[in-house]
Amino acid sequence: MSRSIFRKLLSMKPKPDNKRVSPARAVPAGRDKLSGELAADLDMLRNVLGNSMDLVIREFMLCDTRAALVYINGIIDKEALRENVLRALMVDTKMVNTPGYSSGNSLAARVKENVLSIANVKEAVEIGSILEGILGAGIALLFEGDHTALTLKLPAFETRSVGEPQTESVVRGPREGFVEYLYTNLSMLRRKIKSPDLRLERMQVGRVTGTDVCVAYIKGIANPKIVEEVKKRLERIELDGVLESGYIEEFIEDAPFSIFPTVGNTEKPDRVAAQLLEGRVAIFTDGTPFVLTVPYLFLESVQASEDYYSRHFSSSLFRSLRILALILTTELPALYVAISSFNPEILPTPLLLTMASSREGVPLPAIGEVLVMGVIFEVLREAGVRLPRPVGQAVSIVGALVLGDAAVSAGLVSAPAVIVTALTGIASFVVPSQSDAQIFIRFCFTIMAGFAGFFGLFLGFALILIHLASLRSYGTPYLSPLAPFSKGDLRDTFTRFPWWAMGGRPRVIGWRNPRRAGNVSPPAPPGDKRNSRGEGDG
Amino acid sequence: MKRKTLTLIISLALPFFLASGCWNKVELDQRAIVAGFGLDKAREEGRLKVTVQVAKPGEIKAGAKSEGGAPSAVTVFTGTGYTFFDGLRNLAMVTGKKLFLSEAKILVVGEELARDDIGKATDLYERDAEPSTRNYLLIARGEAEEVLETEMGLEKIWAYGIGNTVKAMSAHGKAPAIEIADFLEAVESKTTAPVATAVRLVSKGEEKGEITAGENKARPPKEIKVSGAAVFRNYKMTGWLDERETRGLLWVTGKIKSGIIVVPAPGDDSRLVAFEIIRAKADIKPEMKDGNLTITVEVEEEGNLGEEQPDSVDVTVPGVLRELEKRKKEAIEKEILAAVSRSRELNADIFGFGEAVHRKYPGEWKQLEAGWDEIYPTLEVNLAVDARIRRTGKITKPAEPRS
């Protein structure tokens, strides 16, 4: 239903201009190459950039040739510019007299090879690539009478320092989280995976913003078809700007009209590394700490990275708890409605009497109570997220005292309804990655239970289950390893087996390279025959 | 295609919301939770008197007191109808709320109706979805209505109190705990006579005796006493078992879980010794020899010496425990024999001997079955009781006065 409404809305919009806006597009036709005349080329750049106030053009003499530096103030490393570029060009060139210096190709090539003590230097002929270099935190070096310019990458701008991620805090495990700067994020990943097989492929998305996007995977583990598919879908994105990975997510997900996410996100480098090692593909986006991972399975939402760091007994226990919480938060209000309005006989007598006594004199029917309290809870939660921290306390006081306690004592809602709402709300925080879907399911189930009791609830449950089973994320069934069933993967599903018992990569994703450990066996005392690496696991 | 899908979804979803119309929906506060049913013959010919005890959940915490000072959170409604179901629906005219039958724990049937036809009470239980066949079936000496109108011990919802008492009494062995499902199972058997728990009213403070409720009617306050059993032939009640006979019945059917056996002390008959039953097992073994059918009832009982009236026994003296075991065995045998002779009087196979014969001699049973009523009263019943004493408590001898 929503699909066709969306389509209708989309069709009313004018067709967007599909051509990619690269910086070269701003260059007048026929003048897309350097002319070799320094003044003209500089004028050209100045014009194209609209004589921007942060544009800096520094002209100087390189021995006896006029040259110019072009850069944008504030995004480049001025220290390095001074020491390694300007000084080298203006002072050192006068002292060196290397044999090759005076001969060779163009001046630009000679400067690049002999003078600049900067790692990332590229030669550029087209105005477009020069502009790209300048705008991508670099310096352009132009020479009088030369058709080749140099672009030097010297980024240095204010970034947030690496801190603990707010959304995924852990008790045990690495506390670093991604930041907004892409290359810092990539460095964090590189530090975790020191393998030549780690592939980082750069793409640019956003016709105006030209946002750097990096597709990361481990060659030999990731399914090349999935990597191809990711790149293909990224290339298809035609959008002015990409400010957060959420923009990309909506373009590359499999089920855009589903309430369930089919693309995962995380801001923890260790989680991304683990995902890559299982054969997934990660998509880094410049400007956001949230990294997307595909394929994304439903059961990933109940798996925390901490599960793999703490001992397997407690990990398994907490996983089961998270599944319980997921069921509670989606079904508890509906169960309350179905039981209290339709089938109270399933309650034990004392509980029924307690519930009946608290329902006495409550003006709303059970479904009304639960819906009203549910909406109030969501409003409070949303307010708590948006408000500045000092005001947040006021919200919680209003929520806890006024809406909870006072509403019950005034007889507006019954105490069980408040308990149900509170439990539902708390449980919804246990599985944060499905929180959007949870709210929809919760309200749908509640309304269906309000109309037809348990029949409605189970009808809704069946619909959701059918929908989940129909979803796929990059060719991987969303409910795997449950449906289709994969016995080996169950070790890391509801439970988390010890690492020495999980020698196999998850089959549904990492089947290309099914073993992640050699023959593994539990640790044994020295001299024990189990140490002889005889047996593997199944 | 898009429009088709949309139409399909809407046409599928709309009936769910419109046609269901909150089907079967009754808010909790709109339900009258029935704690117990009572069924009697009404004064008008051909009608039944239906009594329901309705819980008042609001008063469970409030600590309201009835006139007698006992806690109460119930109201009792009585009405009549041509059948049980009809009567229940007629009650809605009085209660103002829809009666909710699922949480009831007991069904009390008056003696008069039970002697006439208890099937009038049980069919609704089997047929309707709401009432539960796990309810205890009690037969009142007198009127069921009176039982439901009488306050019960410490429980605020009296009918639940009666239910708890039935459960507790079965651990005592002085009344059977018969659920309606058990009763109906016995009805289905061609030979086994169904039994039901007996309940009656006694005046407060009065010693337990053989007084029927009818005699006490004018003398309040009364209290409910659950003891004994009612014996049926098919749907008709034929007689009562007293406490002792009831325990005899329970020994044979293996339902004894606990209880106290009191015997006179060896050597001093004025002093008594009490045993606690720890474990009991029973087996009915029919034997066919030369066309003669005999039944052997094997009972294995284990118990502890729970109490003696000092200073009547010395368990350290060899042979004393043997003697005590013998006395206990005799006490059990007496109880069983009492039940057997009572059942012969009533010609009701309450023990299920017929079913045991059926299981062992399925071939011969075909001839026996038809004439079981003639065979049963003269059936030879042997007892093989094995009573053991396992422990004698924390002490061997009671505190001895120094002389």
Side-chain angles (χ1 to χ4, degrees):
Chain A
M1 183 162 27
S2 58
R3 188 190 303 249
S4 43
I5 294 170
F6 269 119
R7 286 285 141 84
K8 213 161 258 176
L9 286 175
L10 285 180
S11 66
M12 292 193 302
K13 279 191 199 157
K15 280 261 173 215
D17 185 356
N18 283 345
K19 269 183 212 149
R20 177 96 179 236
V21 181
S22 89
R25 263 191 102 208
V27 182
R31 297 202 50 194
D32 54 344
K33 291 217 163 99
L34 283 177
S35 65
E37 271 176 58
L38 188 60
D41 289 335
L42 289 178
D43 270 349
M44 176 79 180
L45 285 177
R46 211 178 270 128
N47 281 338
V48 169
L49 291 173
N51 208 2
S52 181
M53 62 173 280
D54 54 357
L55 181 71
V56 179
I57 297 179
R58 166 80 158 84
E59 291 178 57
F60 60 95
M61 291 302 288
L62 173 65
C63 298
D64 47 2
T65 315
R66 259 201 105 64
L69 279 172
V70 187
Y71 64 90
I72 289 187
N73 199 3
I75 58 171
I76 60 145
D77 187 350
K78 278 194 185 149
E79 182 76 20
L81 172 71
R82 203 161 48 229
E83 289 299 314
N84 302 347
V85 182
L86 264 182
R87 191 183 170 86
L89 290 167
M90 295 168 71
V91 182
D92 297 351
T93 46
K94 294 189 172 105
M95 293 187 278
V96 291
N97 197 8
T98 33
Y101 177 64
S102 47
S103 65
N105 311 324
S106 64
L107 179 61
R110 277 178 284 146
V111 168
K112 178 186 168 193
E113 272 159 35
N114 298 298
V115 182
L116 294 174
S117 51
I118 297 283
N120 193 337
V121 181
K122 277 185 197 143
E123 287 176 45
V125 181
E126 284 163 15
I127 301 270
S129 47
I130 296 174
L131 282 170
E132 225 166 286
I134 295 172
L135 294 170
I139 300 160
L141 196 50
L142 285 76
F143 309 98
E144 178 74 55
D146 198 335
H147 292 280
T148 314
L150 292 179
T151 56
L152 296 68
K153 216 161 177 90
L154 274 182
F157 37 80
E158 292 304 314
T159 55
R160 190 167 60 92
S161 60
V162 174
E164 193 171 354
Q166 300 274 314
T167 54
E168 294 162 273
S169 49
V170 291
V171 177
R172 177 171 179 179
R175 290 188 203 287
E176 58 178 5
F178 287 129
V179 295
E180 283 73 11
Y181 183 43
L182 175 66
Y183 289 92
T184 312
N185 295 347
L186 293 181
S187 74
M188 287 155 91
L189 181 65
R190 274 282 182 202
R191 241 174 35 228
K192 294 207 183 288
I193 305 176
K194 297 177 194 71
S195 162
D197 288 335
L198 175 63
R199 292 283 185 271
L200 304 171
E201 297 188 9
R202 177 172 177 265
M203 303 185 78
Q204 261 191 325
V205 184
R207 289 182 299 151
V208 175
T209 56
T211 309
D212 282 338
V213 170
C214 170
V215 178
Y217 60 95
I218 298 176
K219 195 182 155 228
I221 297 178
N223 184 346
K225 281 187 180 161
I226 292 180
V227 176
E228 269 322 297
E229 183 63 30
V230 170
K231 285 196 266 184
K232 226 192 283 169
R233 290 189 194 183
L234 283 174
E235 273 162 14
R236 277 209 298 264
I237 300 177
E238 280 153 6
L239 192 65
D240 277 5
V242 172
L243 300 180
E244 214 275 338
S245 48
Y247 288 45
I248 294 177
E249 181 179 340
E250 291 191 357
F251 277 99
I252 64 168
E253 65 189 344
D254 283 70
F257 296 101
S258 172
I259 51 173
F260 294 97
T262 46
V263 174
N265 68 69
T266 180
E267 50 175 330
K268 284 174 66 63
D270 52 319
R271 192 168 172 124
V272 169
Q275 303 271 42
L276 295 187
L277 285 169
E278 284 188 352
R280 289 187 176 84
V281 179
I283 301 153
F284 289 73
T285 311
D286 193 26
T288 177
F290 287 93
V291 173
L292 306 177
T293 55
V294 291
Y296 182 74
L297 308 182
F298 180 70
L299 283 167
E300 273 179 56
S301 55
V302 296
Q303 299 172 348
S305 59
E306 206 170 343
D307 289 351
Y308 298 96
Y309 308 143
S310 44
R311 292 179 55 75
H312 58 270
F313 290 114
S314 56
S315 302
S316 304
L317 178 71
F318 289 126
R319 267 196 191 166
S320 326
L321 273 180
R322 274 180 228 128
I323 290 164
L324 180 74
L326 192 62
I327 294 170
L328 271 187
T329 188
T330 49
E331 259 139 81
L332 193 62
L335 270 178
Y336 173 72
V337 171
I339 289 174
S340 81
S341 299
F342 290 89
N343 292 88
E345 62 270 14
I346 72 163
L347 288 181
T349 310
L351 183 56
L352 175 75
L353 291 170
T354 313
M355 261 175 69
S357 71
S358 57
R359 283 263 332 142
E360 270 183 4
V362 173
L364 291 171
I367 179 173
E369 281 185 297
V370 172
L371 285 182
V372 167
M373 289 306 285
V375 170
I376 289 174
F377 177 82
E378 292 303 328
V379 168
L380 281 175
R381 191 185 60 81
E382 189 62 19
V385 173
R386 305 284 160 236
L387 279 177
R389 207 152 285 178
V391 195
Q393 280 196 332
V395 172
S396 52
I397 288 171
V398 167
L401 292 182
V402 181
L403 292 170
D405 199 38
V408 173
S409 47
L412 295 176
V413 289
S414 66
V418 173
I419 294 168
V420 162
T421 310
L423 198 56
T424 307
I426 293 299
S428 73
F429 295 125
V430 175
V431 186
S433 50
Q434 293 286 356
S435 61
D436 304 350
Q438 283 168 14
I439 298 171
F440 284 109
I441 297 174
R442 186 190 309 148
F443 283 105
C444 285
F445 279 10
T446 311
I447 290 166
M448 287 177 101
F451 273 97
F454 276 98
F455 175 69
L457 173 57
F458 285 111
L459 191 66
F461 193 77
L463 285 177
I464 292 289
L465 209 59
I466 291 168
H467 174 62
L468 279 173
S470 77
L471 287 181
R472 268 157 193 276
S473 174
Y474 286 80
T476 312
Y478 198 47
L479 277 187
S480 61
L482 299 178
F485 187 71
S486 164
K487 193 175 143 233
D489 287 359
L490 280 190
R491 293 169 175 228
D492 189 15
T493 303
F494 299 116
T495 55
R496 202 276 285 174
F497 273 45
W499 273 108
W500 44 258
M502 293 195 301
R505 241 178 270 284
R507 255 155 251 212
V508 282
I509 292 163
W511 54 274
R512 289 245 154 198
N513 184 347
R515 302 287 308 172
R516 62 178 153 200
N519 279 336
V520 277
S521 50
D528 193 296
K529 62 175 189 287
R530 277 177 294 172
N531 279 346
S532 61
R533 300 183 137 244
E535 71 249 271
D537 73 322
Chain B
M1 194 243 144
K2 284 280 130 58
R3 178 160 299 179
K4 251 186 203 166
T5 324
L6 183 72
T7 325
L8 184 71
I9 291 173
I10 290 179
S11 55
L12 283 178
L14 268 188
F16 176 77
F17 292 107
L18 297 181
S20 68
C22 304
W23 154 85
N24 211 12
K25 178 175 174 174
V26 185
E27 290 295 332
L28 259 186
D29 40 314
Q30 293 308 314
R31 295 186 196 258
I33 300 165
V34 176
F37 299 102
L39 205 59
D40 292 296
K41 267 191 163 175
R43 251 169 290 159
E44 304 97 322
E45 189 55 40
R47 284 176 80 91
L48 294 174
K49 185 167 73 176
V50 180
T51 311
V52 288
Q53 199 180 79
V54 174
K56 292 191 282 185
E59 283 172 30
I60 291 171
K61 279 184 210 144
K65 302 265 172 177
S66 75
E67 293 141 44
S72 122
V74 291
T75 322
V76 178
F77 296 99
T78 304
T80 62
Y82 290 104
T83 68
F84 190 7
F85 208 20
D86 182 37
L88 277 176
R89 281 295 155 90
N90 289 344
L91 273 176
M93 298 188 282
V94 192
T95 57
K97 286 181 177 179
K98 188 173 190 292
L99 290 180
F100 181 53
L101 315 179
S102 299
E103 297 290 332
K105 291 284 187 283
I106 56 166
L107 167 64
V108 186
V109 178
E111 182 175 354
E112 208 186 328
L113 178 64
R115 284 192 187 275
D116 177 33
D117 182 4
I118 201 170
K120 288 174 180 171
T122 53
D123 186 70
L124 179 71
Y125 268 88
E126 279 191 284
R127 207 172 288 279
D128 196 79
E130 271 200 24
S132 157
T133 50
R134 298 289 312 273
N135 283 11
Y136 289 120
L137 176 62
L138 296 109
I139 309 299
R141 294 199 193 221
E143 294 244 300
E145 184 194 355
E146 286 178 344
V147 172
L148 286 176
E149 276 175 346
T150 308
E151 65 197 33
M152 178 74 204
L154 297 168
E155 187 75 45
K156 284 183 181 175
I157 298 168
W158 304 333
Y160 292 166
I162 297 175
N164 292 342
T165 312
V166 173
K167 222 183 277 174
M169 283 306 287
S170 76
H172 235 62
K174 290 184 178 171
I178 303 292
E179 294 171 355
I180 289 173
D182 303 333
F183 182 83
L184 292 172
E185 197 183 322
V187 167
E188 297 235 310
S189 157
K190 282 203 172 144
T191 53
T192 308
V195 292
T197 319
V199 63
R200 61 185 154 161
L201 294 174
V202 293
S203 295
K204 240 180 191 166
E206 182 191 350
E207 271 199 356
K208 53 182 170 188
E210 301 305 309
I211 306 163
T212 58
E215 293 168 46
N216 289 334
K217 214 170 174 180
R219 280 182 288 158
K222 294 182 218 165
E223 54 191 6
I224 295 168
K225 194 177 170 209
V226 177
S227 87
V231 178
F232 287 76
R233 295 291 309 267
N234 298 325
Y235 280 122
K236 278 188 180 7
M237 178 185 153
T238 53
W240 300 101
L241 297 183
D242 66 14
E243 284 174 11
R244 218 163 127 249
E245 291 154 0
T246 304
R247 195 148 89 173
L249 164 67
L250 296 177
W251 279 120
V252 178
T253 51
K255 295 272 173 60
I256 296 274
K257 295 276 173 284
S258 175
I260 305 294
I261 303 171
V262 180
V263 298
D268 185 356
D269 281 357
S270 67
R271 294 191 170 265
L272 297 173
V273 179
F275 298 99
E276 186 190 3
I277 304 162
I278 298 299
R279 209 173 288 124
K281 224 167 71 181
D283 203 359
I284 301 169
K285 288 194 169 159
E287 192 81 40
M288 190 92 85
K289 243 182 204 166
D290 314 326
N292 282 335
L293 187 64
T294 55
I295 302 279
T296 307
V297 176
E298 285 177 8
V299 176
E300 278 173 45
E301 187 265 355
E302 281 177 29
N304 295 342
L305 175 59
E307 189 186 12
E308 60 159 313
Q309 291 174 338
D311 180 17
S312 50
V313 285
D314 184 352
V315 292
T316 56
V317 175
V320 166
L321 284 178
R322 289 280 156 277
E323 177 61 23
L324 284 172
E325 280 179 348
K326 205 185 114 207
R327 284 175 181 236
K328 189 162 80 157
K329 176 189 164 188
E330 281 162 4
I332 295 171
E333 282 173 350
K334 266 185 208 158
E335 287 175 351
I336 297 176
L337 286 174
V340 170
S341 67
R342 179 79 180 131
S343 82
R344 279 179 177 148
E345 270 171 45
L346 295 169
N347 195 5
D349 179 7
I350 51 177
F351 308 104
F353 288 161
E355 292 291 338
V357 175
H358 187 180
R359 278 195 293 274
K360 190 159 181 195
Y361 301 107
E364 288 86 338
W365 176 247
K366 283 186 185 124
Q367 287 113 51
L368 294 173
E369 188 181 2
W372 189 249
D373 281 354
E374 285 78 56
I375 299 168
Y376 184 76
T378 57
L379 194 63
E380 193 185 332
V381 177
N382 300 321
L383 299 183
V385 177
D386 181 25
R388 300 258 170 223
I389 295 170
R390 291 296 175 208
R391 280 162 288 271
T392 58
K394 289 194 293 182
I395 54 168
T396 51
K397 276 184 185 179
E400 254 177 283
R402 300 250 173 221
S403 52

